[in-house]
Amino acid sequence: DAKTTQPPSMDCAEGRAANLPCNHSTISGNEYVYWYRQIHSQGPQYIIHGLKNNETNEMASLIITEDRKSSTLILPHATLRDTAVYYCIVSPDGSSNTGKLIFGQGTTLQVKP
Amino acid sequence: GAGVSQSPSNKVTEKGKDVELRCDPISGHTALYWYRQSLGQGLEFLIYFQGNSAPDKSGLPSDRFSAERTGGSVSTLTIQRTQQEDSAVYLCASSLTAGPSYEQYFGPGTRLTVT
């Protein structure tokens, strides 16, 4: 079972910031928080990941709370092309070090004009 | 550079036939993963390769499913005696090596339809 909880859907106005929350209250010390997204009919796309510190790249920012029990993915200026299902994943899964990803249901983000 | 490629992009087969799905990972990536995505189950892990070895096959749903990887590169997922419940999109991903701090790059998938 996925170790994360996300809202099933969210809307965002084009040009505004999209803030996608994720709860991972059972996360352990060696587990990373990953975000992937899947645009309709495409394979999942890596966005960003982090362990303890906040992270930023050209796509998004990841804010992880100090207790690491939740995080927020921020798309600073959402465009229509950001409409997708966003998956928050905790990895590794248990004691495995294979890097396999356990996907939940994700959040469907709809960016509206 | 080239990403992960998969072939065929679409496959329609009759129940009971065998199918082979191919994955070409990114050059130099030692870890390779197979997932499948079906309407009722979402995205689920099938098998993981490190080099040519498969240390984790825990997601293969039955013994009709098998996979191999040769030369540390191309991988083939074989489904024998296909059933209608095997209909899904089969996705392959690769990463530089295995581990939680390495992102995975996904291919476009193979859509399998069993009639």
Side-chain angles (χ1 to χ4, degrees), chain A residues 8-72:
Chain A
S9 63
M10 291 182 63
D11 289 343
C12 178
E14 188 178 19
R16 304 297 295 268
N19 296 277
L20 291 90
C22 180
N23 286 322
H24 31 79
S25 58
T26 61
I27 194 169
S28 59
N30 67 331
E31 292 177 321
Y32 288 73
V33 178
Y34 271 85
W35 285 84
Y36 284 78
R37 72 179 183 183
Q38 188 172 27
I39 296 170
H40 184 61
S41 298
Q42 297 182 20
Q45 176 191 24
Y46 165 79
I47 302 174
I48 198 167
H49 73 284
L51 184 62
K52 296 180 181 178
N53 299 322
N54 298 336
E55 302 288 341
T56 295
N57 62 21
E58 65 278 6
M59 289 183 68
S61 294
L62 173 61
I63 308 299
I64 303 175
T65 58
E66 192 169 344
D67 63 8
R68 303 212 317 128
K69 293 185 177 182
S70 65
S71 61
T72 301

Coordinates of all heavy atoms in Angstrom, one line a residue, chain A residues 8-72:
Chain A
P8 N -7.8 13.8 -3.9 CA -8.0 13.2 -5.3 C -7.9 14.2 -6.4 O -7.5 13.9 -7.5 CB -9.4 12.6 -5.2 CG -10.0 13.2 -4.0 CD -8.9 13.6 -3.1
S9 N -8.3 15.5 -6.2 CA -8.3 16.4 -7.2 C -8.2 17.8 -6.7 O -8.5 18.1 -5.6 CB -9.6 16.3 -8.1 OG -10.7 16.6 -7.2
M10 N -7.6 18.7 -7.6 CA -7.5 20.1 -7.3 C -7.6 20.9 -8.6 O -7.2 20.4 -9.7 CB -6.1 20.4 -6.7 CG -5.9 19.9 -5.3 SD -4.2 20.3 -4.7 CE -4.3 22.1 -4.7
D11 N -8.1 22.1 -8.5 CA -8.1 23.1 -9.6 C -7.1 24.2 -9.3 O -6.8 24.5 -8.2 CB -9.5 23.7 -9.8 CG -10.5 22.7 -10.3 OD1 -10.0 21.6 -10.8 OD2 -11.7 22.9 -10.2
C12 N -6.6 24.8 -10.4 CA -5.7 25.9 -10.3 C -5.9 26.8 -11.5 O -6.1 26.3 -12.6 CB -4.2 25.5 -10.2 SG -3.0 26.8 -10.1
A13 N -5.9 28.1 -11.3 CA -6.0 29.1 -12.4 C -4.6 29.2 -13.1 O -3.6 29.2 -12.4 CB -6.5 30.4 -11.9
E14 N -4.7 29.3 -14.4 CA -3.5 29.4 -15.2 C -2.7 30.7 -14.7 O -3.3 31.7 -14.5 CB -3.9 29.6 -16.7 CG -2.7 29.6 -17.6 CD -3.1 29.6 -19.1 OE1 -4.3 30.1 -19.3 OE2 -2.3 29.3 -20.0
G15 N -1.4 30.5 -14.6 CA -0.6 31.6 -14.2 C -0.4 31.7 -12.7 O 0.5 32.4 -12.2
R16 N -1.2 31.1 -11.9 CA -1.1 31.1 -10.5 C -0.3 29.9 -10.0 O 0.0 29.0 -10.7 CB -2.5 31.0 -9.8 CG -3.5 32.1 -10.3 CD -3.0 33.5 -9.9 NE -3.0 33.7 -8.4 CZ -4.0 34.2 -7.7 NH1 -5.1 34.5 -8.3 NH2 -3.8 34.4 -6.4
A17 N 0.1 30.0 -8.7 CA 0.9 28.9 -8.2 C -0.1 27.7 -7.8 O -1.1 28.0 -7.3 CB 1.6 29.4 -6.9
A18 N 0.4 26.5 -8.1 CA -0.3 25.3 -7.7 C 0.4 24.7 -6.5 O 1.6 24.5 -6.6 CB -0.4 24.4 -8.9
N19 N -0.3 24.5 -5.4 CA 0.3 23.9 -4.2 C -0.4 22.6 -4.0 O -1.6 22.5 -3.6 CB 0.1 24.9 -3.0 CG 0.8 26.2 -3.2 OD1 1.9 26.3 -2.9 ND2 0.0 27.2 -3.7
L20 N 0.4 21.5 -4.1 CA -0.2 20.2 -4.0 C 0.3 19.6 -2.7 O 1.5 19.3 -2.5 CB 0.2 19.3 -5.2 CG -0.5 19.7 -6.5 CD1 0.4 20.7 -7.3 CD2 -0.7 18.4 -7.3
P21 N -0.6 19.2 -1.8 CA -0.2 18.7 -0.5 C 0.0 17.2 -0.5 O -0.7 16.5 -1.3 CB -1.3 19.1 0.5 CG -2.5 19.1 -0.4 CD -2.0 19.5 -1.8
C22 N 0.8 16.7 0.4 CA 0.9 15.2 0.6 C 1.2 14.9 2.1 O 2.1 15.6 2.7 CB 2.1 14.7 -0.3 SG 2.4 13.0 -0.2
N23 N 0.5 14.0 2.6 CA 0.8 13.5 4.0 C 1.5 12.2 3.9 O 1.1 11.3 3.2 CB -0.5 13.3 4.7 CG -1.1 14.7 5.1 OD1 -0.4 15.6 5.5 ND2 -2.4 14.8 5.1
H24 N 2.6 12.1 4.7 CA 3.4 10.8 4.8 C 3.8 10.7 6.2 O 5.0 10.7 6.6 CB 4.6 10.8 3.8 CG 5.2 12.1 3.5 ND1 6.0 12.8 4.4 CD2 5.0 13.0 2.4 CE1 6.4 14.0 3.8 NE2 5.7 14.1 2.6
S25 N 2.8 10.5 7.1 CA 3.1 10.5 8.6 C 3.9 9.4 9.1 O 4.5 9.5 10.2 CB 1.7 10.6 9.3 OG 1.0 9.5 9.0
T26 N 4.0 8.3 8.3 CA 4.8 7.1 8.8 C 6.2 7.1 8.1 O 6.9 6.1 8.2 CB 4.1 5.8 8.5 OG1 3.9 5.7 7.1 CG2 2.7 5.8 9.2
I27 N 6.6 8.2 7.5 CA 7.9 8.2 6.8 C 9.0 7.9 7.8 O 9.0 8.4 9.0 CB 8.1 9.5 6.1 CG1 9.3 9.4 5.1 CG2 8.3 10.7 7.1 CD1 9.4 10.6 4.2
S28 N 10.1 7.2 7.4 CA 11.2 6.9 8.3 C 12.4 7.7 7.8 O 12.4 8.3 6.7 CB 11.5 5.4 8.4 OG 11.8 4.9 7.1
G29 N 13.5 7.6 8.6 CA 14.6 8.5 8.4 C 15.3 8.4 7.1 O 15.9 9.4 6.6
N30 N 15.3 7.2 6.5 CA 16.1 7.1 5.3 C 15.2 7.2 4.0 O 15.7 6.9 2.9 CB 16.8 5.7 5.3 CG 15.8 4.5 5.3 OD1 14.7 4.7 5.7 ND2 16.2 3.4 4.7
E31 N 14.0 7.5 4.2 CA 13.0 7.5 3.1 C 12.9 8.9 2.5 O 12.8 9.9 3.2 CB 11.7 7.0 3.5 CG 11.7 5.5 3.8 CD 10.3 5.1 4.3 OE1 9.6 5.8 5.1 OE2 9.9 3.9 3.9
Y32 N 13.0 9.0 1.1 CA 12.9 10.2 0.4 C 11.4 10.4 0.0 O 10.7 9.5 -0.1 CB 13.7 10.1 -0.9 CG 15.2 10.2 -0.7 CD1 15.9 9.1 -0.2 CD2 15.9 11.3 -1.1 CE1 17.3 9.2 -0.1 CE2 17.3 11.4 -1.0 CZ 18.0 10.3 -0.4 OH 19.3 10.4 -0.3
V33 N 11.1 11.7 -0.3 CA 9.8 12.1 -0.8 C 10.1 12.4 -2.3 O 10.9 13.2 -2.6 CB 9.2 13.3 -0.1 CG1 7.9 13.6 -0.8 CG2 9.0 13.0 1.4
Y34 N 9.3 11.7 -3.2 CA 9.4 11.9 -4.6 C 8.1 12.4 -5.1 O 7.0 12.1 -4.6 CB 9.7 10.5 -5.3 CG 11.1 10.2 -5.5 CD1 11.8 9.5 -4.5 CD2 11.8 10.5 -6.7 CE1 13.2 9.2 -4.6 CE2 13.2 10.2 -6.8 CZ 13.8 9.5 -5.8 OH 15.1 9.2 -6.0
W35 N 8.2 13.2 -6.2 CA 7.0 13.6 -6.9 C 7.2 13.3 -8.4 O 8.3 13.6 -9.0 CB 6.8 15.1 -6.7 CG 6.2 15.5 -5.4 CD1 6.8 15.7 -4.2 CD2 4.8 15.7 -5.1 NE1 6.0 16.0 -3.2 CE2 4.7 16.0 -3.8 CE3 3.6 15.6 -5.9 CZ2 3.5 16.3 -3.1 CZ3 2.4 15.9 -5.3 CH2 2.3 16.2 -3.9
Y36 N 6.2 12.6 -8.9 CA 6.1 12.4 -10.4 C 4.8 12.9 -10.9 O 3.9 13.0 -10.1 CB 6.2 10.9 -10.7 CG 7.6 10.2 -10.5 CD1 8.1 9.9 -9.3 CD2 8.3 10.0 -11.7 CE1 9.4 9.4 -9.2 CE2 9.6 9.4 -11.6 CZ 10.1 9.1 -10.3 OH 11.4 8.6 -10.2
R37 N 4.7 13.1 -12.1 CA 3.4 13.4 -12.7 C 3.2 12.6 -14.0 O 4.1 12.2 -14.6 CB 3.3 14.9 -13.0 CG 4.1 15.4 -14.2 CD 3.9 16.9 -14.4 NE 4.6 17.5 -15.5 CZ 4.6 18.8 -15.8 NH1 3.9 19.6 -15.1 NH2 5.2 19.2 -16.9
Q38 N 1.9 12.5 -14.3 CA 1.6 11.7 -15.5 C 0.6 12.5 -16.3 O -0.6 12.7 -15.8 CB 1.0 10.3 -15.2 CG 0.8 9.4 -16.4 CD 0.5 8.0 -16.0 OE1 -0.1 7.8 -15.0 NE2 0.8 7.1 -16.9
I39 N 1.0 13.0 -17.4 CA 0.1 13.7 -18.4 C -0.6 12.6 -19.2 O 0.0 11.6 -19.5 CB 0.9 14.7 -19.3 CG1 1.5 15.8 -18.4 CG2 0.0 15.3 -20.3 CD1 2.5 16.6 -19.1
H40 N -1.8 12.9 -19.5 CA -2.7 11.9 -20.1 C -2.0 11.2 -21.3 O -1.4 11.8 -22.1 CB -4.0 12.6 -20.7 CG -4.9 11.7 -21.3 ND1 -5.5 10.6 -20.5 CD2 -5.4 11.5 -22.5 CE1 -6.4 10.0 -21.3 NE2 -6.3 10.5 -22.5
S41 N -2.1 9.8 -21.2 CA -1.5 8.9 -22.2 C 0.0 9.0 -22.4 O 0.5 8.5 -23.4 CB -2.2 9.3 -23.6 OG -3.5 9.0 -23.6
Q42 N 0.7 9.5 -21.4 CA 2.1 9.4 -21.4 C 2.7 8.7 -20.2 O 1.9 8.4 -19.2 CB 2.7 10.9 -21.3 CG 2.3 11.7 -22.5 CD 3.0 13.1 -22.5 OE1 3.9 13.3 -21.8 NE2 2.4 14.0 -23.2
G43 N 3.9 8.3 -20.2 CA 4.5 7.7 -19.0 C 4.8 8.7 -17.9 O 4.9 9.9 -18.2
P44 N 4.9 8.3 -16.7 CA 5.2 9.2 -15.6 C 6.5 10.0 -15.8 O 7.4 9.5 -16.5 CB 5.3 8.3 -14.4 CG 4.4 7.1 -14.7 CD 4.7 6.9 -16.2
Q45 N 6.5 11.2 -15.3 CA 7.7 12.1 -15.5 C 8.1 12.5 -14.1 O 7.4 13.0 -13.3 CB 7.3 13.3 -16.3 CG 8.3 14.4 -16.5 CD 7.8 15.7 -17.1 OE1 6.6 16.0 -16.9 NE2 8.7 16.4 -17.7
Y46 N 9.4 12.4 -13.9 CA 10.0 12.8 -12.6 C 9.9 14.3 -12.5 O 10.2 15.0 -13.5 CB 11.5 12.3 -12.6 CG 12.3 13.0 -11.5 CD1 12.2 12.6 -10.2 CD2 13.1 14.1 -11.8 CE1 13.0 13.2 -9.2 CE2 13.9 14.7 -10.8 CZ 13.8 14.2 -9.5 OH 14.6 14.8 -8.5
I47 N 9.6 14.8 -11.3 CA 9.6 16.2 -11.0 C 10.7 16.6 -10.1 O 11.6 17.4 -10.4 CB 8.2 16.7 -10.5 CG1 7.1 16.3 -11.4 CG2 8.2 18.2 -10.2 CD1 5.7 16.6 -10.8
I48 N 10.7 16.1 -8.9 CA 11.6 16.5 -7.9 C 11.6 15.5 -6.7 O 10.7 14.7 -6.6 CB 11.2 17.9 -7.4 CG1 12.3 18.6 -6.6 CG2 9.9 17.8 -6.5 CD1 12.0 20.1 -6.4
H49 N 12.7 15.5 -5.9 CA 12.7 14.7 -4.7 C 13.5 15.3 -3.6 O 14.3 16.2 -3.9 CB 13.1 13.2 -5.0 CG 14.6 13.1 -5.2 ND1 15.2 13.4 -6.4 CD2 15.6 12.6 -4.4 CE1 16.5 13.1 -6.3 NE2 16.8 12.7 -5.1
G50 N 13.2 14.9 -2.4 CA 14.0 15.5 -1.3 C 14.0 14.6 -0.1 O 13.1 13.7 0.0
L51 N 14.9 14.8 0.8 CA 15.0 14.0 2.0 C 14.6 14.8 3.3 O 13.6 14.4 3.9 CB 16.5 13.5 2.2 CG 16.7 12.5 3.4 CD1 15.9 11.3 3.2 CD2 18.2 12.2 3.5
K52 N 15.3 15.9 3.5 CA 14.9 16.7 4.7 C 14.8 18.2 4.3 O 13.8 18.8 4.8 CB 16.0 16.6 5.7 CG 16.2 15.2 6.3 CD 17.3 15.3 7.4 CE 17.6 13.9 8.0 NZ 18.7 13.9 9.0
N53 N 15.6 18.6 3.5 CA 15.6 20.1 3.1 C 14.7 20.3 2.0 O 14.3 19.5 1.2 CB 17.1 20.5 2.7 CG 18.1 20.3 3.8 OD1 17.8 20.5 4.9 ND2 19.3 19.8 3.4
N54 N 14.3 21.6 1.9 CA 13.5 22.0 0.8 C 14.3 22.0 -0.5 O 15.5 22.2 -0.4 CB 12.9 23.4 1.0 CG 12.0 23.5 2.2 OD1 11.4 22.5 2.6 ND2 11.9 24.7 2.8
E55 N 13.7 21.7 -1.6 CA 14.4 21.6 -2.8 C 13.7 22.4 -3.9 O 12.5 22.6 -3.9 CB 14.5 20.1 -3.3 CG 15.1 19.1 -2.3 CD 16.6 19.3 -2.2 OE1 17.2 19.9 -3.2 OE2 17.2 18.9 -1.2
T56 N 14.5 22.9 -4.9 CA 13.9 23.6 -6.0 C 14.7 23.2 -7.3 O 15.9 23.1 -7.2 CB 14.1 25.1 -5.8 OG1 13.2 25.5 -4.7 CG2 13.6 25.9 -7.0
N57 N 14.0 23.1 -8.3 CA 14.6 22.9 -9.6 C 13.8 23.7 -10.7 O 12.9 24.5 -10.3 CB 14.7 21.4 -10.0 CG 13.4 20.7 -10.2 OD1 12.3 21.3 -10.4 ND2 13.4 19.4 -10.0
E58 N 14.1 23.5 -11.9 CA 13.5 24.3 -13.0 C 12.0 24.0 -13.1 O 11.3 24.8 -13.7 CB 14.2 24.1 -14.3 CG 14.0 22.6 -14.9 CD 15.0 21.7 -14.3 OE1 15.7 22.0 -13.3 OE2 15.0 20.5 -14.8
M59 N 11.5 22.9 -12.6 CA 10.1 22.6 -12.7 C 9.3 23.0 -11.5 O 8.1 23.5 -11.7 CB 9.9 21.1 -12.9 CG 10.4 20.5 -14.2 SD 10.0 18.8 -14.3 CE 8.2 18.8 -14.4
A60 N 9.8 22.8 -10.3 CA 9.0 23.0 -9.1 C 9.8 23.2 -7.9 O 11.1 23.1 -7.9 CB 8.1 21.7 -8.9
S61 N 9.1 23.4 -6.8 CA 9.8 23.5 -5.4 C 9.1 22.4 -4.6 O 7.9 22.2 -4.7 CB 9.6 24.9 -4.8 OG 10.3 25.8 -5.5
L62 N 9.9 21.9 -3.7 CA 9.4 20.9 -2.7 C 9.6 21.4 -1.3 O 10.8 21.7 -1.0 CB 10.0 19.5 -2.9 CG 9.7 18.4 -1.9 CD1 8.3 18.1 -1.9 CD2 10.6 17.2 -2.2
I63 N 8.6 21.6 -0.6 CA 8.7 22.0 0.8 C 8.3 20.8 1.7 O 7.2 20.3 1.6 CB 7.7 23.2 1.1 CG1 7.9 24.3 0.1 CG2 7.9 23.7 2.5 CD1 9.2 24.9 0.0
I64 N 9.3 20.5 2.6 CA 9.1 19.3 3.5 C 9.0 19.9 4.9 O 9.9 20.7 5.3 CB 10.2 18.3 3.4 CG1 10.3 17.8 1.9 CG2 10.0 17.1 4.3 CD1 11.5 16.9 1.7
T65 N 8.0 19.5 5.7 CA 7.9 20.0 7.0 C 9.0 19.5 7.9 O 9.7 18.5 7.6 CB 6.6 19.6 7.7 OG1 6.4 18.2 7.7 CG2 5.4 20.3 6.9
E66 N 9.3 20.2 9.0 CA 10.4 19.9 9.8 C 10.3 18.4 10.4 O 11.3 17.7 10.5 CB 10.5 20.9 11.0 CG 11.9 20.8 11.7 CD 12.0 21.9 12.7 OE1 11.3 22.9 12.6 OE2 12.9 21.8 13.6
D67 N 9.1 18.0 10.7 CA 8.9 16.6 11.2 C 8.8 15.6 10.1 O 8.7 14.4 10.3 CB 7.7 16.5 12.1 CG 6.4 16.8 11.4 OD1 6.4 17.0 10.1 OD2 5.4 16.9 12.0
R68 N 8.9 16.1 8.9 CA 8.9 15.3 7.6 C 7.6 14.5 7.4 O 7.5 13.6 6.6 CB 10.1 14.3 7.6 CG 11.4 15.0 7.7 CD 12.5 14.3 7.0 NE 12.5 12.8 7.1 CZ 12.6 12.0 6.0 NH1 12.6 12.5 4.8 NH2 12.6 10.7 6.2
K69 N 6.5 14.8 8.1 CA 5.3 14.1 8.0 C 4.4 14.6 6.9 O 3.4 13.9 6.6 CB 4.5 14.1 9.3 CG 5.3 13.3 10.5 CD 4.5 13.3 11.7 CE 5.2 12.4 12.8 NZ 4.4 12.3 14.0
S70 N 4.8 15.7 6.3 CA 4.0 16.1 5.2 C 4.9 17.0 4.3 O 6.0 17.4 4.7 CB 2.8 16.9 5.6 OG 3.2 18.1 6.2
S71 N 4.4 17.2 3.0 CA 5.2 18.0 2.1 C 4.2 18.7 1.1 O 3.1 18.3 1.0 CB 6.2 17.2 1.3 OG 5.6 16.1 0.6
T72 N 4.7 19.7 0.4 CA 3.9 20.4 -0.6 C 4.8 20.6 -1.8 O 5.9 21.0 -1.7 CB 3.5 21.8 0.0 OG1 2.7 21.6 1.1 CG2 2.7 22.5 -1.1

